[in-house]
Amino acid sequence: QVHLKESGGGSVQPGDSLGLSCAVSGGTFSRDGMGWFRQAPGGEREFVAAISRSGYSTYHASSVRGRFRISRDNVRDMVFLQMNSLKPEDTAVYYCASKGDARDIASTEIAEYDYWGQGTQVTVSS
């Protein structure tokens, strides 16, 4: 059973930066594509960023492109989301997720992800 645990959330002001981490255990991390998703109050879960199993390919949602950056460490079995220039509309619970995939691609499709963390709250407010 794959277990994912997010950390690093918190309350910040607009324009601030925050880094999220996700520790993965119980699987073969280097074989899994990873993604970050978020869900705002009353909203649906949406794609934020994804990274292929090698880390070679990444993809970011247009709403965060240029401000957020996904990365991974295949030695420590962790995935990260660096968030800069945060906006109030970035307020949400952020989830990391993993998907077994023989292809070295970054997937945006929520339905393709097999395992999910419990989420970490990010609040951006002045």
Side-chain angles (χ1 to χ4, degrees), residues 19-120:
L20 303 184
S21 301
C22 175
V24 182
S25 61
T28 307
F29 182 75
S30 61
R31 296 180 183 175
D32 293 339
M34 299 297 298
W36 284 97
F37 298 81
R38 67 186 181 185
Q39 188 166 14
E44 296 186 353
R45 194 167 297 189
E46 65 176 10
F47 168 77
V48 176
I51 188 166
S52 65
R53 60 182 187 169
S54 71
Y56 182 78
S57 297
T58 62
Y59 190 82
H60 298 77
S62 58
S63 59
V64 306
R65 198 169 297 147
R67 299 188 298 121
F68 291 12
R69 180 176 178 272
I70 190 172
S71 61
R72 67 187 292 160
D73 185 333
N74 283 359
V75 174
R76 296 163 60 196
D77 291 0
M78 297 186 71
V79 63
F80 308 97
L81 185 68
Q82 179 62 39
M83 305 184 293
N84 299 324
S85 302
L86 282 160
K87 304 176 181 179
E89 51 262 45
D90 295 320
T91 295
V93 177
Y94 283 72
Y95 300 89
C96 68
S98 68
K99 58 184 294 291
D101 200 334
R103 305 164 298 171
D104 192 29
I105 63 171
S107 176
T108 67
E109 297 297 326
I110 291 178
E112 293 187 7
Y113 286 82
D114 305 306
Y115 298 99
W116 294 79
Q118 293 297 308
T120 185

